[in-house]
Amino acid sequence: MKSDWPWCAAFLPFDMPAARSSLASAPEKYLIVSLGSIGRRHLANLRTLCPDAQIGVLRLHATDSGAATPAGADLQFFSLAQALAFAPSAAIVAGPASTHLDVATALANAGIALLVEKPIADTSTGLASLLRTCAHADIPLMVGYNLRFLPSLVECKRLLDTGAIGRIRGVRAEVGQYLPDWRPGTRYQENVSARRELGGGALLELSHEIDYLYWMFGMPARVSARGGRYSELEIDVEDMVELCLEYENPARLVNVHLDFLQRSPSRSCKFIGDQGTLVWNGITDRIDLFSAAEGTWKHVDKHAQADRNGMYLDELRHFLNCSRRQEPALCDGVQGYDVLAIVEAAKASMQHGAAVPVHGYTGT
């Protein structure tokens, strides 16, 4: 799931000149694969940023070729062959995670720059081949972990990187929201999040948390996890998971809570350093910092704007520049693979009841 929760969006105020550069030289043809909630968002944003572009939409599960073309699109396709014949320069793959690998591989083989929604796939099996194809042919591949564009979280990373609370010893991250509330007007039982065969479950759908912690601290050495289905929700996936990511050199413990159950949406993280503590509220975008030297808490200036769609617009601007080889992807395919490797290690730990070593992408 690309989160459309109301508290998971903001405008990116930090300096990213390339991302804000003119889009005059952007590709003239774009493809969006699937029109779920995030696909519709990308379509609207792409039309806003590129009003004169030709935009095609591939309907993965629709068969009515007589259906009206969606607002904002110029063409719609009902087969991958039709979409490839359209010859877009860049594509956004926004279908269920279980479809990502096959669709992205076909597009990459045609030389098309890719933004693949998170997670990059529902399994790492076969994923290395896609990454090699993109690397050898210099095809941009970006993974849609949009929280990397959230201003308050970017500020947290800056504070940590500049030593605001010293060395990080521990982290406690949490995210949760009641699954039936995610997409009003739809039956949650039919949504991707609730269905194993489509790549649902808390670990994959809520992997934003795993990604931003990986972004900040890199690959853990080991993962231990407990979780499963604890509710009466009509789903066949895990609805709550507790993870512990163990790091070495320097040693630190990172605890992550993921759930589909909280009736009041929650997203937060506490960073525990040897010189202070940093607390981030991902709903309000509030940041509070405790300095051991001063012995006081202080509120860090709020890094958010009223435009709740701004984060996605900046993500898309960045991808358009990546597609033109103007800048590297903030979250590329290798990083998407590594996040998936952490998810798979957590699943293995849940199955075997023991900590599991994590192995990221090696290029083979």
Side-chain angles (χ1 to χ4, degrees):
M1 175 192 67
K2 179 72 165 201
S3 180
D4 283 313
W5 301 351
W7 40 265
C8 186
F11 184 72
L12 186 65
F14 66 93
D15 186 23
M16 187 184 284
R20 301 182 184 281
S21 65
S22 170
L23 298 176
S25 60
E28 296 180 356
K29 288 185 178 181
Y30 303 99
L31 176 70
I32 296 177
V33 180
S34 192
L35 282 185
S37 58
I38 188 58
R40 292 192 299 271
R41 181 187 290 273
H42 283 311
L43 175 57
N45 286 343
L46 187 56
R47 181 55 71 198
T48 296
L49 294 178
C50 304
D52 299 323
Q54 196 173 20
I55 303 175
V57 174
L58 172 57
R59 311 301 295 270
L60 285 179
H61 303 294
T63 58
D64 183 6
S65 58
T69 301
D74 299 292
L75 300 164
Q76 64 178 336
F77 312 110
F78 296 90
S79 73
L80 187 54
Q82 291 175 335
L84 290 171
F86 174 57
S89 296
I92 300 171
V93 180
S98 58
T99 67
H100 287 181
L101 184 57
D102 287 345
V103 172
T105 297
L107 295 171
N109 285 333
I112 298 168
L114 297 169
L115 168 57
V116 180
E117 269 307 325
K118 52 71 45 191
I120 190 171
D122 64 336
T123 174
S124 62
T125 302
L127 184 54
S129 177
L130 171 63
L131 299 191
R132 289 194 297 269
T133 295
C134 291
H136 293 163
D138 189 30
I139 298 167
L141 171 57
M142 176 175 162
V143 183
Y145 279 110
N146 59 281
L147 284 187
R148 295 196 186 201
F149 295 85
L150 184 66
S152 58
L153 193 59
V154 171
E155 176 63 9
C156 284
K157 186 177 188 302
R158 187 193 70 80
L159 289 167
L160 298 177
D161 289 346
T162 56
I165 59 171
R167 294 185 178 182
I168 309 304
R169 300 305 189 190
V171 179
R172 295 178 181 175
E174 174 180 311
V175 62
Q177 186 181 18
Y178 190 50
L179 181 61
D181 293 343
W182 283 16
R183 301 176 180 96
T186 67
R187 295 186 73 249
Y188 78 87
Q189 298 92 333
E190 298 174 356
N191 288 330
V192 169
S193 310
R195 300 168 62 184
R196 186 175 305 279
E197 75 273 14
L198 297 180
L203 277 165
L204 286 171
E205 286 290 84
L206 300 178
S207 59
H208 284 290
E209 265 54 33
I210 297 172
D211 173 71
Y212 79 67
L213 293 166
Y214 164 83
W215 178 41
M216 292 178 175
F217 304 119
M219 203 67 160
R222 290 172 299 279
V223 175
S224 56
R226 298 292 184 273
R229 180 170 170 265
Y230 291 87
S231 72
E232 289 73 43
L233 291 174
E234 298 174 38
I235 60 179
D236 64 357
V237 292
E238 74 280 357
D239 56 24
M240 185 161 57
V241 179
E242 298 281 347
L243 299 88
C244 181
L245 313 181
E246 300 178 53
Y247 285 81
E248 299 175 348
N249 302 318
R252 63 172 64 101
L253 286 180
V254 175
N255 293 287
V256 188
H257 171 90
L258 314 171
D259 77 65
F260 286 171
L261 307 179
Q262 295 190 56
R263 303 308 295 262
S264 176
S266 174
R267 170 162 271 155
S268 63
C269 193
K270 175 184 285 187
F271 303 91
I272 304 167
D274 58 9
Q275 299 300 316
T277 301
L278 186 69
V279 178
W280 170 66
N281 186 317
I283 298 178
T284 64
D285 293 306
R286 182 183 176 95
I287 302 170
D288 292 287
L289 189 152
F290 177 81
S291 168
E294 299 175 5
T296 59
W297 284 92
K298 68 176 181 179
H299 171 56
V300 179
D301 287 343
K302 192 172 184 179
H303 290 74
Q305 299 222 352
D307 180 4
R308 306 303 291 177
N309 188 49
M311 172 174 58
Y312 294 98
L313 284 167
D314 274 302
E315 179 187 42
L316 190 53
R317 288 188 185 99
H318 175 61
F319 170 61
L320 293 173
N321 285 325
C322 293
S323 73
R324 301 195 307 274
R325 281 72 170 177
Q326 291 185 347
E327 58 187 356
L330 183 59
C331 184
D332 61 21
V334 171
Q335 296 174 70
Y337 184 106
D338 285 352
V339 173
L340 183 57
I342 296 172
V343 168
E344 292 186 331
K347 290 185 175 182
S349 176
M350 288 165 57
Q351 180 179 359
H352 300 296
V356 174
V358 188
H359 304 287
Y361 180 66
T362 61
T364 59

